[in-house]
Amino acid sequence: MMDFNLAQLTIVTLSASSASILLGKSLRSVLRRIIGGSSFVDRFSSAAVSAFILVICTFEKMLPFMAGSELVYYVMTFVYGIAFSRVFIDFSPSLCTPLFDHWKDLNRAFLFSPGGKLHQSRFVGIYRFLMHFIKVSFTPLLGLFAGYQIALFWLKFLWDGMMTSHHVDNLPVLDSCVESLNTDVTTGFLLEFTVTLFFLEVFSFIDSYFQQHHKSISSTVADSIKSLIVCIVLYLCIDITGAFANPFLAYVIQRHCLTSMEKWIAHVIVYLTAPMIATILHLILRDSLARSQKLKK
């Protein structure tokens, strides 16, 4: 175990995060070769590996923050944001991802019956939407759960004497309550909804703008702009809700805080319902824009 200083801690945490990315990708390749490339294995392994990487990188970058260096924390957040845009190509570790991947089928389930007729009742449409979402998100959800459990096991192994003294001192944080909701439920819901929708709309605009006007420029420029935006929003909101915009990550960080039904309800409203509704609204707006552009042509 090494003694702790900030420069050393930064190097060690970046190295651990980089190693986790390589390890996760390698394990996925090995798993697919051994078991095969079935649809279930592909979806499960993609979700598990992405969860494994995100959890390790998140807890590692928390260490400089807890050591008193917000600057290092935000620099690492910026760097990770750029890296994640390439690492999470197969599956972004969030419960909102199945909405993107299966939106056309989910939308059809909401609007139409199995026979192709429009639903007479919106309640029936909502029910069929939810049932179909549960079906398509079940395998990724299993992968996310497996990935975060393996990541926590791996972090406990590494932090318990394998890295810096600061890692050892903060080992309890892996099994402690890290409360992020520091406001009322209504404000928390509105903030997480706004942050999620803002990210989705702005990132979509940036991608579209660079594809249309600056195809020759490296995608790293667009990814850097998006990562910078994440850092700014996180800086403004970290002491209010944490600005997660990701139900999975919000649960992993705050899971030990959910000690009562009241806390569970508040968590579900703020960190699950708000991002999901924002994602659905973004997809509806995206479809509406696509239809209006098609009509203009």
Side-chain angles (χ1 to χ4, degrees), residues 101-280:
D101 293 344
H102 302 276
W103 175 245
K104 189 174 291 186
D105 292 335
L106 288 165
N107 197 27
R108 189 181 298 114
F110 173 72
L111 293 173
F112 300 101
S113 67
K117 295 182 180 180
L118 278 171
H119 291 303
Q120 297 299 316
S121 169
R122 283 287 171 260
F123 290 107
V124 174
I126 292 171
Y127 171 78
R128 292 199 67 241
F129 180 96
L130 290 174
M131 290 300 100
H132 193 68
F133 176 76
I134 292 171
K135 178 182 176 181
V136 299
S137 63
F138 180 72
T139 301
L141 184 61
L142 285 179
L144 291 174
F145 179 79
Y148 108 77
Q149 290 288 352
I150 295 170
L152 289 175
F153 174 82
W154 183 244
L155 283 170
K156 290 174 184 178
F157 171 74
L158 291 179
W159 286 21
D160 193 13
M162 300 289 289
M163 304 179 80
T164 69
S165 59
H166 188 61
H167 283 81
V168 176
D169 293 340
N170 286 282
L171 185 60
V173 80
L174 296 175
D175 290 314
S176 301
C177 169
V178 183
E179 185 66 71
S180 298
L181 184 59
N182 299 305
T183 186
D184 60 275
V185 174
T186 302
T187 303
F189 173 88
L190 292 173
L191 184 58
E192 284 294 313
F193 172 85
T194 302
V195 167
T196 304
L197 186 60
F198 174 77
F199 282 156
L200 292 172
E201 292 296 319
V202 171
F203 292 173
S204 178
F205 171 78
I206 291 171
D207 289 336
S208 177
Y209 177 81
F210 273 87
Q211 287 174 5
Q212 291 178 15
H213 302 288
H214 299 285
K215 289 184 178 179
S216 60
I217 297 178
S218 170
S219 61
T220 304
V221 176
D223 294 335
S224 299
I225 295 172
K226 289 188 285 186
S227 190
L228 180 61
I229 291 171
V230 170
C231 291
I232 293 171
V233 172
L234 185 59
Y235 177 79
L236 294 173
C237 303
I238 193 170
D239 293 327
I240 306 174
T241 63
F244 286 98
N246 184 334
F248 167 69
L249 186 59
Y251 168 75
V252 171
I253 298 299
Q254 301 179 85
R255 67 196 187 283
H256 289 293
C257 303
L258 307 177
T259 55
S260 66
M261 183 59 67
E262 182 182 357
K263 286 184 178 293
W264 266 106
I265 292 172
H267 183 88
V268 168
I269 292 172
V270 175
Y271 295 108
L272 176 62
T273 308
M276 298 289 277
I277 292 176
T279 302
I280 291 171

Side-chain angles (χ1 to χ4, degrees), residues 15-46:
S15 299
S17 299
S18 300
S20 73
I21 293 174
L22 292 174
L23 178 61
K25 291 291 186 180
S26 300
L27 287 175
R28 180 172 183 262
S29 298
V30 171
L31 182 65
R32 293 185 69 183
R33 287 184 179 180
I34 295 175
I35 301 178
S38 69
S39 176
F40 172 82
V41 171
D42 188 59
R43 287 180 289 148
F44 176 85
S45 61
S46 294

